[in-house]
Amino acid sequence: MEANAYEELAGRIEGMGRAVLHIAAALEVKGLIDGERLSQAWRSALPPQGFNVASQTLQQMAGALDDARMHRRAHTH
């Protein structure tokens, strides 16, 4: 795969990850999902064999969702 193809793939994956985080945060704010439970599920998800990067990504996404929650709480109280 060429460097440009890798960059495009990485950009698409980053965009999808950010979209998922924004959707999760919006649903959490509306009380439609339990964001803390979602973060915990992401942290405890076992990656398929050979996909350790997927686990690391879920860990990062859980952290980002938790950070957004703490930021919202800090600015609403």
Side-chain angles (χ1 to χ4, degrees):
M1 193 179 275
E2 295 180 24
N4 287 341
Y6 278 117
E7 288 178 19
E8 182 176 344
L9 179 59
R12 288 175 184 264
I13 292 169
E14 176 70 19
M16 293 300 295
R18 287 178 184 252
V20 168
L21 284 170
H22 284 288
I23 291 167
L27 292 172
E28 184 179 7
V29 167
K30 295 214 177 259
L32 298 173
I33 64 168
D34 182 340
E36 291 180 21
R37 184 177 287 176
L38 178 60
S39 292
Q40 187 56 38
W42 285 347
R43 283 190 177 90
S44 63
L46 297 174
Q49 188 171 356
F51 285 88
N52 292 331
V53 173
S55 179
Q56 293 170 349
T57 301
L58 287 173
Q59 299 289 322
Q60 292 169 343
M61 290 178 65
L65 186 58
D66 291 342
D67 290 347
R69 183 181 317 106
M70 287 188 293
H71 181 76
R72 286 191 308 272
R73 286 180 182 163
H75 288 87
T76 59
H77 293 115

